[in-house]
Amino acid sequence: MQNFGISEALSVLGINRSNSGTSTGQKWIKTKGEYLSSFSPVDGKLIGKVQATDESSFTKVVAQSHQAFLEWRLVPAPKRGEVVRQIGEALRKYKEPLGKLVSYEMGKSYQEGLGEVQEMIDICDFAVGLSRQLNGLTMHSERPSHRMYEQYHPLGVIGVISAFNFPVAVWSWNAMIAWVCGDTCIWKPSEKTPLCSIACQNIVNKVFKKNGVPDGVSCIINGDYKIGQLMASNENIPLVSATGSVRMGKAVGRTVSERLGRVLLELGGNNAIIVTEHANLDITIRAALFGAVGTAGQRCTTTRRLIIHEGVYDVVKEKLKKGYSQLRIGNPLDQNNHVGPLIDTLAVKAYRNALQKVNSSGGKFIVSGGVLRGKEYESGCYVKPAIAEVENDFEIVQQETFAPILYLIKFKTLEEALALQNGVKQGLSSAIMTTRLQEMEQFLSNAGSDCGIANVNIGTSGAEIGGAFGGEKETGGGRESGSDSWKVYMRRQTNTINYGDSLPLAQGIKFEI
């Protein structure tokens, strides 16, 4: 593994000080949009600028993507899978510089940046196998000399809106699956991490050019919520997959639904780990620590609440305090550090407001928070992970704060713990720590966790790509990545073939002339 510096990583990835943010495929186009400035939360320095997409350019992108779809859908699925396989190989080649850019532009640790690129590689591998398994169904007809079956066809142009916290992986979850399904993609990344999208498009372009893939199979648009609104309202985009806040998801869902389009929503989480009196406390503390402070608390699967049995509450609290005292906060490119910065000063403001609300609600901090000052923290985005003892019904506890604040809540019975865990509007990820089979099964039963992800003896964070990812309630109900999530990107068709010489009607209906 080479030791890329930031400047070298940017050069290798084709990132300049000033970049077009609009691509119709191989071609980056000049627009009339304003420039987005990408400042690193690591040191506050300007990394580069990206010109936003304007409405006229957006229209060109959609037209090009639709034209490409008419060709791409005719390419056999295994051949589409071969192209995605080569993208996976290219990502292996660029893993280090892309992981470094993710870390520097977003602020997560370098190890997490590398891990995010590995997720991209993994989903490529998954999609390659999937390209030979886009299976339908056959069923028996009630009519003689008839055959019935179901098959799946590509849906069309897929719009992908991604969030800053996973600036490359979530796009790949959607794009790689959509491409093997025969769809084309238009990606609108977060305006907070636009350079990562430029890097990904540059990598993909090389593979597509080598394989003669039609221009428009992969397109990029950049901008704020206004360009997202254009995507949501465009009738030529049958599916919009949006990852982000509940507020954003509701706006996108409303607009797409008004035109009877489809949405795949991956929104907020307010995730809890239940710690029973029978838990293995060593793995509990490790899971809670990473779940709460990984990515500086800026994952949708971040552990926000620790619901602890009263019999082990004090022990867990003391172990957590000891673990937090050993955390190293600083430059995420330094692999000795555990916690990097928040994405920007607006996130810091939200963090500080949350701390104030905990205090005003009657919560008690056992590990105090605060904003870090000094030369090493000159970006103003570094904060201390905090732990507070609270009640589940506190208004601030009911909300998702994208920052490293962990809430401790005490319980007596497992039924009470499940009610506490489920007693929030979000329903993404959940976990239970126990060595008792009964408690495991109760947690996973119909009367257990109401989340889309329910784990036993692992934390709430760190989902594998093989399983469908997503949640219930205000998390949006979407599923992406593994399992049979590919069906979202396709349209299902039921076919009936009459190979006989008569025309019997279903349900025994008689119609004679």
Side-chain angles (χ1 to χ4, degrees):
M1 181 178 285
Q2 299 182 51
N3 186 20
F4 283 90
I6 288 299
S7 296
E8 187 179 5
L10 293 174
S11 177
V12 167
L13 296 169
I15 304 296
N16 303 310
R17 294 292 288 180
S18 181
N19 306 269
S20 168
T22 307
S23 170
T24 55
Q26 299 289 331
K27 184 180 179 183
W28 293 97
I29 60 177
K30 183 85 173 168
T31 73
K32 296 181 180 179
E34 297 181 354
Y35 276 88
L36 305 171
S37 295
S38 179
F39 292 94
S40 171
V42 174
D43 54 19
K45 294 180 180 179
L46 177 68
I47 312 172
K49 295 184 177 182
V50 175
Q51 189 177 32
T53 306
D54 58 18
E55 186 169 355
S56 174
S57 301
F58 172 75
T59 301
K60 292 178 182 178
V61 168
V62 175
Q64 184 66 47
S65 190
H66 178 70
Q67 184 60 43
F69 167 67
L70 299 180
E71 298 180 51
W72 184 239
R73 64 181 178 177
L74 300 178
V75 176
K79 292 188 179 299
R80 298 193 296 255
E82 167 58 19
V83 174
V84 170
R85 185 194 67 79
Q86 293 178 36
I87 293 173
E89 291 302 309
L91 289 169
R92 287 177 171 89
K93 176 182 176 182
Y94 289 101
K95 180 177 178 178
E96 186 180 353
L98 184 56
K100 188 147 286 188
L101 174 60
V102 168
S103 177
Y104 190 59
E105 187 173 32
M106 185 269 150
K108 63 176 60 177
S109 74
Y110 180 42
Q111 281 299 312
E112 289 185 76
L114 292 173
E116 184 168 348
V117 181
Q118 186 61 49
E119 279 194 59
M120 302 175 77
I121 295 167
D122 292 345
I123 199 66
C124 287
D125 290 348
F126 180 87
V128 173
L130 179 64
S131 69
R132 293 180 181 270
Q133 300 181 70
L134 301 173
N135 302 318
L137 290 171
T138 61
M139 61 280 292
H140 291 281
S141 172
E142 67 184 59
R143 290 169 282 184
S145 302
H146 282 61
R147 181 166 68 88
M148 293 180 65
Y149 68 94
E150 290 181 346
Q151 61 178 334
Y152 288 85
H153 294 295
L155 191 58
V157 180
I158 308 301
V160 180
I161 299 173
S162 64
F164 73 85
N165 59 332
F166 280 85
V168 295
V170 172
W171 162 74
S172 72
W173 290 1
N174 287 273
M176 305 307 160
I177 302 298
W179 286 338
V180 298
C181 287
D183 300 314
T184 58
C185 285
I186 301 174
W187 179 19
K188 184 220 162 301
S190 169
E191 61 270 30
K192 297 182 180 183
T193 52
L195 295 175
C196 284
S197 71
I198 309 300
C200 289
Q201 183 73 355
N202 285 339
I203 293 170
V204 168
N205 277 346
K206 293 177 181 178
V207 176
F208 280 5
K209 183 177 182 180
K210 176 183 175 183
N211 287 272
V213 173
D215 248 9
V217 170
S218 178
C219 296
I220 300 287
I221 56 175
N222 267 281
D224 58 15
Y225 72 95
K226 295 176 184 177
I227 199 70
Q229 288 177 334
L230 289 177
M231 177 181 282
S233 61
N234 193 288
E235 294 184 353
N236 292 311
I237 303 176
L239 169 68
V240 176
S241 174
T243 302
S245 68
V246 173
R247 178 181 57 80
M248 178 278 294
K250 286 181 177 180
V252 169
R254 187 181 308 114
T255 301
V256 176
S257 297
E258 284 177 353
R259 60 177 175 84
L260 298 181
R262 300 188 198 179
V263 290
L264 192 169
L265 299 176
E266 298 290 356
L267 310 176
N270 194 347
N271 316 294
I273 298 177
I274 296 173
V275 184
T276 79
E277 60 185 319
H278 309 295
N280 178 323
L281 295 188
D282 288 337
I283 65 172
T284 295
I285 298 304
R286 289 181 62 192
L289 275 169
F290 177 73
V293 307
T295 323
Q298 297 173 112
R299 291 185 175 214
C300 53
T301 55
T302 289
T303 303
R304 310 279 173 206
R305 297 174 295 143
L306 211 56
I307 303 171
I308 311 167
H309 188 273
E310 60 182 5
V312 294
Y313 184 88
D314 289 337
V315 175
V316 171
K317 182 170 69 172
E318 290 306 311
K319 285 180 176 290
L320 282 171
K321 288 172 65 176
K322 181 179 179 181
Y324 270 56
S325 69
Q326 297 172 1
L327 291 174
R328 293 184 294 273
I329 308 167
N331 188 326
L333 297 177
D334 181 347
Q335 298 189 56
N336 291 313
N337 291 326
H338 300 106
V339 184
L342 295 180
I343 184 65
D344 55 25
T345 53
L346 289 176
V348 173
K349 182 179 179 181
Y351 162 84
R352 296 179 66 180
N353 287 341
L355 297 182
Q356 292 171 3
K357 288 183 179 179
V358 170
N359 275 322
S360 63
S361 300
K364 177 184 176 183
F365 282 99
I366 63 171
V367 175
S368 299
V371 181
L372 293 168
R373 305 296 183 188
K375 186 176 181 180
E376 184 181 359
Y377 311 117
E378 59 187 345
S379 69
C381 299
Y382 291 86
V383 302
K384 298 177 184 178
I387 304 177
E389 295 179 291
V390 300
E391 297 296 330
N392 199 60
D393 58 0
F394 285 3
E395 181 183 2
I396 187 60
V397 177
Q398 291 285 311
Q399 300 170 4
E400 179 189 42
T401 302
F402 239 46
I405 305 174
L406 179 63
Y407 301 122
L408 305 189
I409 303 164
K410 190 181 295 184
F411 78 90
K412 293 183 179 181
T413 68
L414 184 55
E415 289 75 15
E416 178 190 1
L418 288 167
L420 289 168
Q421 183 212 272
N422 296 341
V424 293
K425 292 182 178 180
Q426 309 84 359
L428 179 52
S429 188
S430 59
I432 188 170
M433 295 294 176
T434 179
T435 56
R436 290 288 180 92
L437 180 62
Q438 276 186 314
E439 292 176 336
M440 297 178 192
E441 292 296 337
Q442 189 172 346
F443 176 74
L444 299 174
S445 72
N446 289 340
S449 170
D450 65 0
C451 295
I453 298 170
N455 297 327
V456 175
N457 292 328
I458 61 172
T460 60
S461 196
E464 298 180 30
I465 60 90
F469 181 88
E472 303 300 326
K473 301 189 291 189
E474 282 197 352
T475 301
R479 294 296 186 276
E480 58 193 1
S481 186
S483 186
D484 65 349
S485 301
W486 61 271
K487 294 178 180 178
V488 177
Y489 306 92
M490 304 194 84
R491 58 182 177 89
R492 183 162 65 175
Q493 184 181 77
T494 301
N495 307 109
T496 306
I497 300 171
N498 178 3
Y499 57 88
D501 297 324
S502 61
L503 188 66
L505 301 179
Q507 293 83 49
I509 294 173
K510 302 296 183 182
F511 184 79
E512 303 292 343
I513 297 178

